[in-house]
Amino acid sequence: MPTVVLLDVSFSMCRPVPQDCKKEEEDGGGGGGAGGGPLLKKNLAAIACCQLLDHLQHTNKLEFVSLIIYSSLYEVLVGFTRDYSSIKKAVMQVGDYDKTSLLGALTGAVQYCKEEWGNGTPCQFVVLTDGSAGVGQGALLRAVSGPRAQQNFPLAVPATLDIVCLASADDTALLSSLPLYQRYVELNGQGSVHVPQGKLSRKSTTELMNEVLKSQFSPYRGTLHCGSLSTAVTLSPPPQAYIPPREGLSNSSSNSSSAVSSKELVSREIVVMGFLAIVDVSSPPAYSRHLLLPLQKGDMSNISNGNNNQAATAENNSGAGSDEESGTDDGKTPSLCVLIHGGLKKEGMVALCQVATNWYGILYSWSDNKKKSNLLLSIFRPGVDVIPWLGKLDELGPATSLPINPYTAPDGPPPFPVKSGEKRSYNQACVVWVRSGGLQSDVQKILRHARKLPDKTNSFYKELNRVRRAALQYGFPALLLGVCSVLEREALTLPATAQPEGAMQLQHACAALRATADSAMDATNTDNKHHSNIPPLKTNFASQD
């Protein structure tokens, strides 16, 4: 998922890091900053940012990363890109600015993510700061403790907020700002505040980032099962835990009988339960989408956290040649992912998968052009009845077990969509008068049928009752009087060749509309006899109608 690094460039980041000389010697003399000067907090922030980028380069090369610097204002220094070297270069060249304002930076980062990815794409925000919230901490804390907190939190995009504080655990500025940072994370619902253990140093910063990477940026490694076949796979981006909506936030899935009440994690075992036609599945709503890739031989072992950047860099450089050789060998090895991808693409089907207990998704072939396609996994929200037209997912079975196979019998009933016994309100035809053109169109339709009376008697009363019913529901009885005046004028302008029955029907409709309007505008009238549909005037007394 897209990652945004928010780098604090306030003037307080220029403070040197106090270190013990003996401790520096034990750590390898790494206490100096750039050019042999003192080690500053902004140097540690640059080290932490580069460590994050190195980890993503090794575990998830498809990740988009953006760099935003902030003080009292914010600036998108590097837009979303996969060129991590450009971000590293920009981090080393940032300047020094005035006081810090994290809340303003978060608001700007959310707006930027909405412009680039929309409202529904999950993002990860990593804040690198010295632990000082700046001037006016009490006012900021009060602003996120009362009703104003709902204006900024939770963030307008589904995001994980991780605040990395580069300060010693006993730092006074950190101790005073920690409640504010914890309040930010609490209101957002996802994320945490990270503080180094002991004194601040290069080593403690590296260890702190290792903890952040292990908890938030660990790659997904699982097994895909299809019958008796299985293979090791990875998902990009890694799936995040599903957190149900909190009380007070409206969400349709929270009202479902299958909605979860606690945090749900995607299992390491992805099991293919069966196959469905694309036309039957259509385009179901998904909680998240992931690219499913087979694990190569070099990726089978767990990725070490890397106690220092030099060891990780040396390992990457020494393994570059072996990765190329293993990539060549993997192209000749049979792969279950390739088999499933080819079958789904050729047959026009999707694979229904179970990713956890009572949690499902679909595997399908997706292509952004004619030459290249990928195997994607769309994960639904937890539950078995999250897709209405498929019914309960745990009750699906083979089509051959039905008395009549709907896919082989020419006259067999279609299996989908599954009809529900509930009568949905949106199935009923409704009248919408958001603009004046809609109301004018409905009145003109009544007039067209009125000029063709008595041949269009049924159509005339159908449209008249439709407008009449909507006017009563919207509390618009004056409209009925207006329609009545129009019909009266229409009755007076009928040509001499018109049948008398047409004028009689118009007069009957006008009288009924006027009585309904008078009844609706009388607040003391509780009689609803005028609220039923207007029936046509009976003019043929010789028939049995």
Side-chain angles (χ1 to χ4, degrees):
M1 66 181 64
T3 302
V4 179
V5 179
L6 291 100
L7 180 60
D8 187 358
V9 292
S10 60
F11 197 69
S12 60
M13 293 289 289
C14 297
R15 291 183 298 177
V17 178
Q19 292 183 342
D20 187 12
C21 297
K22 296 182 179 180
K23 184 63 178 178
E24 293 177 10
E25 295 176 357
E26 294 175 0
D27 292 340
L39 181 65
L40 307 181
K41 289 193 174 184
K42 68 177 184 179
N43 300 135
L44 294 181
I47 293 173
C49 183
C50 293
Q51 185 177 352
L52 170 63
L53 297 174
D54 291 337
H55 178 82
L56 294 178
Q57 180 73 27
H58 187 58
T59 61
N60 194 355
K61 299 179 181 180
L62 302 178
E63 191 76 81
F64 283 95
V65 183
S66 174
L67 176 63
I68 297 179
I69 59 175
Y70 73 94
S71 55
S72 60
L73 303 176
Y74 74 93
E75 178 186 356
V76 180
L77 198 60
V78 181
F80 284 105
T81 179
R82 290 173 177 168
D83 184 11
Y84 300 152
S85 60
S86 62
I87 301 179
K88 292 180 181 179
K89 183 179 179 180
V91 167
M92 299 301 177
Q93 297 176 354
V94 295
D96 305 322
Y97 298 86
D98 55 358
K99 64 180 182 179
T100 183
S101 176
L102 178 57
L103 188 58
L106 290 175
T107 304
V110 168
Q111 184 64 29
Y112 177 62
C113 290
K114 290 171 65 176
E115 294 175 356
E116 294 290 331
W117 304 97
N119 298 338
T121 302
C123 302
Q124 286 183 312
F125 291 169
V126 179
V127 180
L128 299 176
T129 179
D130 62 342
S132 175
V135 181
Q137 299 178 24
L140 292 174
L141 187 58
R142 288 191 298 270
V144 295
S145 300
R148 293 177 56 189
Q150 299 180 358
Q151 299 177 3
N152 301 307
F153 293 95
L155 299 177
V157 295
T160 301
L161 178 60
D162 288 282
I163 302 177
V164 181
C165 299
L166 301 178
S168 301
D170 56 352
D171 188 275
T172 55
L174 174 64
L175 295 178
S176 61
S177 303
L178 204 55
L180 178 63
Y181 291 146
Q182 292 174 346
R183 182 61 178 169
Y184 284 167
V185 174
E186 179 185 354
L187 291 174
N188 185 58
Q190 300 184 60
S192 57
V193 180
H194 305 273
V195 179
Q197 298 291 334
K199 296 294 182 179
L200 180 64
S201 63
R202 185 188 298 267
K203 181 178 180 181
S204 63
T205 301
T206 303
E207 294 175 350
L208 176 64
M209 285 304 300
N210 286 335
E211 296 178 1
V212 177
L213 298 176
K214 183 178 180 180
S215 60
Q216 300 296 341
F217 294 91
S218 296
Y220 175 87
R221 301 178 185 277
T223 305
L224 176 65
H225 299 275
C226 183
S228 58
L229 303 177
S230 62
T231 185
V233 295
T234 182
L235 296 178
S236 178
Q240 299 296 313
Y242 176 80
I243 300 178
R246 292 173 290 177
E247 296 181 1
L249 299 179
S250 59
N251 191 300
S252 58
S253 63
S254 62
N255 298 328
S256 170
S257 60
S258 60
V260 296
S261 57
S262 60
K263 189 175 180 179
E264 290 284 340
L265 297 174
V266 175
S267 173
R268 296 291 178 177
E269 305 290 330
I270 302 176
V271 183
V272 176
M273 309 300 294
F275 301 91
L276 294 167
I278 293 180
V279 294
D280 294 334
V281 177
S282 185
S283 181
Y287 173 67
S288 61
R289 294 179 176 88
H290 311 270
L291 184 65
L292 189 141
L293 300 170
L295 280 178
Q296 299 179 357
K297 293 181 179 179
D299 297 332
M300 293 298 182
S301 59
N302 294 330
I303 298 178
S304 61
N305 292 331
N307 293 331
N308 53 70
N309 293 333
Q310 297 178 355
T313 305
E315 181 182 354
N316 293 338
N317 296 334
S318 62
S322 60
D323 290 342
E324 296 179 358
E325 297 178 358
S326 62
T328 305
D329 296 338
D330 290 334
K332 301 178 182 179
T333 305
S335 174
L336 177 61
C337 295
V338 176
L339 175 64
I340 294 178
H341 179 223
L344 296 178
K345 183 177 181 181
K346 182 178 180 181
E347 299 296 333
M349 305 188 76
V350 301
L352 180 66
C353 302
Q354 185 174 11
V355 298
T357 304
N358 292 334
W359 197 358
Y360 297 87
I362 55 173
L363 270 176
Y364 56 96
S365 174
W366 179 82
S367 173
D368 56 352
N369 52 50
K370 296 181 179 179
K371 296 183 179 180
K372 186 178 181 180
S373 60
N374 302 290
L375 190 61
L376 257 63
L377 173 65
S378 289
I379 300 179
F380 307 144
R381 295 185 180 275
V384 297
D385 55 352
V386 291
I387 310 299
W389 58 89
L390 295 181
K392 292 187 176 182
L393 299 180
D394 59 346
E395 295 181 359
L396 294 176
T400 54
S401 62
L402 298 175
I404 300 177
N405 192 335
Y407 297 104
T408 58
D411 299 332
F416 303 104
V418 176
K419 295 183 179 180
S420 175
E422 301 178 1
K423 190 175 183 180
R424 306 291 183 180
S425 60
Y426 49 77
N427 287 338
Q428 305 297 322
C430 59
V431 180
V432 180
W433 292 331
V434 177
R435 298 181 180 178
S436 59
L439 176 57
Q440 183 178 1
S441 176
D442 290 339
V443 175
Q444 288 178 347
K445 189 181 296 184
I446 296 175
L447 289 179
R448 286 197 300 269
H449 293 316
R451 295 188 182 103
K452 297 179 181 179
L453 290 174
D455 296 336
K456 293 290 185 178
T457 300
N458 292 334
S459 300
F460 169 74
Y461 280 99
K462 178 182 178 182
E463 294 299 328
L464 182 65
N465 284 314
R466 175 173 170 270
V467 173
R468 172 185 170 278
R469 184 168 52 250
L472 293 175
Q473 291 174 349
Y474 295 154
F476 196 8
L479 174 64
L480 301 181
L481 296 178
V483 175
C484 180
S485 301
V486 173
L487 294 180
E488 287 177 347
R489 186 172 62 252
E490 188 68 26
L492 295 176
T493 59
L494 286 176
T497 57
Q499 299 184 25
E501 183 181 349
M504 296 173 61
Q505 295 290 354
L506 290 177
Q507 293 174 2
H508 168 69
C510 290
L513 286 177
R514 195 175 299 278
T516 303
D518 294 340
S519 175
M521 288 188 293
D522 187 1
T524 62
N525 187 8
T526 58
D527 188 6
N528 296 329
K529 65 179 181 179
H530 297 296
H531 289 188
S532 58
N533 289 338
I534 302 175
L537 178 64
K538 187 176 181 181
T539 58
N540 187 5
F541 297 98
S543 65
Q544 300 296 326
D545 298 341

